[in-house]
Amino acid sequence: KNEVEQSPQNLTAQEGEFITINCSYSVGISALHWLQQHPGGGIVSLFMLSSGKKKHGRLIATINIQEKHSSLHITASHPRDSAVYICAVIREATGGGADGLTFGKGTHLIIQP
Amino acid sequence: DSGVTQTPKHLITATGQRVTLRCSPRSGDLSVYWYQQSLDQGLQFLIQYYNGEERAKGNILERFSAQQFPDLHSELNLSSLELGDSALYFCASSEQPWLGNTEAFFGQGTRLTVV
């Protein structure tokens, strides 16, 4: 079983809809990152969360550490939001406190006009 | 533009060959991470360098090696290439060595095709 699970795997919605992408993880973490990958392949960091909620424009990310769950919301979705959204975690620090990200498999989002 | 530069963008090579991928981090970032994205495995962490020293290792094969130079650019060397090494290789950088309290900035990736 993957340490980071995302749902849904694929999501198609109409322009203007409210979008929710979920991420659950099974390990203790120090932080969770939400990333966006466009069809060209480049990856952009959207949020880094260790508690609570963050908002940037039409994007909102929340995390519940006790439930080991995070959500990414997109309000007033637009075709340009079409991308793969990837949840990634940094496991709790052990020893030197160094590690790379552990990734979910991504959610492929298509917003139709 | 994240400020992280990877070269080359595309690379096609034959099995058994050796290639070098290059990454220049964002100005001021001391930490560099290498990730591999393949169709079957998804994104995987390979290795991290911080200020010239290896900091953490992930799922990096023995045929692969990396280093970070005094000017902070990094190179990922892949040798004895196999068809299964075909993937997108990403470099990311961060100011701090720990992604538990800092954001990562990703390059555009190098697409490696082994034929």
Side-chain angles (χ1 to χ4, degrees), chain B:
Chain B
D1 183 5
S2 67
V4 179
T5 303
Q6 288 189 248
T7 57
K9 286 189 169 45
H10 301 276
L11 195 49
I12 301 174
T13 190
T15 54
Q17 295 298 303
R18 172 190 167 94
V19 296
T20 297
L21 313 184
R22 183 188 167 102
C23 170
S24 294
R26 267 187 348 149
S27 177
D29 285 355
L30 299 177
S31 193
V32 170
Y33 307 80
W34 286 99
Y35 294 96
Q36 179 194 58
Q37 185 177 35
S38 61
L39 281 174
D40 53 343
Q41 298 286 335
L43 273 160
Q44 290 192 99
F45 167 58
L46 296 179
I47 197 164
Q48 177 196 6
Y49 279 81
Y50 180 74
N51 203 20
E53 294 193 4
E54 183 184 304
R55 181 92 178 184
K57 257 184 174 176
N59 298 324
I60 189 165
L61 299 173
E62 284 191 13
R63 300 183 284 110
F64 296 179
S65 65
Q67 53 185 325
Q68 186 179 28
F69 294 87
D71 66 353
L72 300 177
H73 91 271
S74 179
E75 293 181 356
L76 179 67
N77 301 296
L78 315 176
S79 61
S80 303
L81 284 167
E82 302 174 0
L83 295 177
D85 297 326
S86 296
L88 256 177
Y89 290 85
F90 285 100
C91 166
S93 73
S94 65
E95 193 176 6
Q96 303 295 328
W98 174 237
L99 290 179
N101 58 15
T102 193
E103 195 177 354
F105 295 88
F106 286 78
Q108 290 296 304
T110 293
R111 184 172 295 280
L112 173 66
T113 303
V114 182
V115 297

Side-chain angles (χ1 to χ4, degrees), chain A residues 4-54:
Chain A
V4 181
E5 297 278 357
Q6 285 186 238
S7 63
Q9 281 187 303
N10 298 285
L11 179 57
T12 300
Q14 296 298 311
E15 184 173 355
E17 286 188 37
F18 181 82
I19 303 298
T20 295
I21 298 170
N22 296 299
C23 175
S24 297
Y25 50 91
S26 57
V27 295
I29 69 167
S30 291
L32 183 144
H33 294 244
W34 280 103
L35 310 170
Q36 181 192 54
Q37 185 171 27
H38 276 283
I43 294 175
V44 174
S45 176
L46 299 176
F47 296 102
M48 186 200 69
L49 291 163
S50 54
S51 65
K53 176 178 174 177
K54 286 189 176 180

Side-chain angles (χ1 to χ4, degrees), chain A residues 80-94:
Chain A
R80 66 174 173 265
D81 297 324
S82 298
V84 177
Y85 292 83
I86 302 168
C87 170
V89 302
I90 281 286
R91 288 180 287 243
E92 278 175 335
T94 55

